[in-house]
Amino acid sequence: MDSLRFNPITEWRGPGFNWHYLGFNRMLHEISREFEGIPNPNFKMLEIGSYMGESTSMFASSGIFNEIHCIDPFNGYEEANDFLNKEWSEISEEFKINTRHFDNIITHHDYSYNISNIFEDNYFDLIYIDAAHDYESIKRDIELYLPKCKRIMTGHDYCPEWPG
């Protein structure tokens, strides 16, 4: 079965290796190095756009975070659903399967812009944005969630040519 990180569609694969998986692991290694040596770590993260929970599972498997919040409405238009020929009910079920081994994941079934006010400022050590992939949506997520972040804000699927 095709997925986004573990078994990407043929068009997304590199020559002989899976960059979607290896690149994510490299990012996790860099994050762990940034957090190394911080006394009494109780790291919290937020993932905006969790889709099938593959990256959520990798964040949880890293052991870096004591608390992982995921925001995804599990509805609306998503280009990957077309590539993978999946309905949202299947995506939501895959999320549950991929995250079933972890008890530190809190899922918020909503759009990020609807619930930013439920989180305190400087609550998250890391915020990972991988939701809507257009300039305005990403800009809005950054503006809404930057005050919620005390260490690292990162993401996926942005375009370096975007203004600002």
Side-chain angles (χ1 to χ4, degrees):
M1 173 167 89
D2 289 327
S3 69
L4 296 180
R5 299 237 188 274
F6 300 144
N7 189 29
I9 61 175
T10 305
E11 296 83 23
W12 294 353
R13 294 182 189 160
F17 50 86
N18 178 353
W19 267 118
H20 298 275
Y21 180 80
L22 294 174
F24 203 90
N25 276 313
R26 183 176 179 184
M27 179 189 69
L28 287 171
H29 177 74
E30 292 301 320
I31 291 168
S32 71
R33 291 182 65 187
E34 287 295 318
F35 291 170
E36 204 172 318
I38 296 174
N40 303 315
N42 184 21
F43 299 126
K44 298 172 184 71
M45 73 156 290
L46 172 65
E47 179 181 44
I48 302 174
S50 300
Y51 200 59
M52 282 195 261
E54 294 169 319
S55 55
T56 312
S57 174
M58 293 174 74
F59 279 122
S61 295
S62 75
I64 299 169
F65 304 100
N66 296 70
E67 192 176 298
I68 298 173
H69 289 260
C70 300
I71 300 175
D72 203 303
F74 298 101
N75 67 40
Y77 176 73
E78 171 54 57
E79 186 178 17
N81 286 6
D82 296 337
F83 287 125
L84 300 173
N85 195 27
K86 298 280 186 190
E87 298 293 325
W88 276 113
S89 58
E90 297 169 280
I91 299 302
S92 180
E93 201 54 39
E94 284 293 320
F95 177 88
K96 291 173 190 170
I97 290 167
N98 287 326
T99 60
R100 72 189 181 279
H101 299 293
F102 307 99
D103 61 2
N104 61 336
I105 297 171
I106 301 156
T107 308
H108 306 272
H109 295 264
D110 206 335
Y111 290 94
S112 58
Y113 52 82
N114 286 337
I115 62 170
S116 64
N117 62 340
I118 70 170
F119 303 108
E120 297 174 24
D121 285 354
N122 296 309
Y123 186 77
F124 297 107
D125 297 282
L126 180 124
I127 295 178
Y128 179 76
I129 300 173
D130 190 11
H133 299 109
D134 62 277
Y135 174 79
E136 291 302 325
S137 297
I138 294 170
K139 180 181 178 206
R140 179 180 54 213
D141 280 339
I142 291 170
E143 290 172 348
L144 287 172
Y145 285 91
L146 190 58
K148 313 299 179 187
C149 186
K150 59 182 165 183
R151 297 192 200 292
I152 299 172
M153 181 175 274
T154 187
H156 186 252
D157 293 328
Y158 68 93
C159 182
E161 292 82 31
W162 284 341

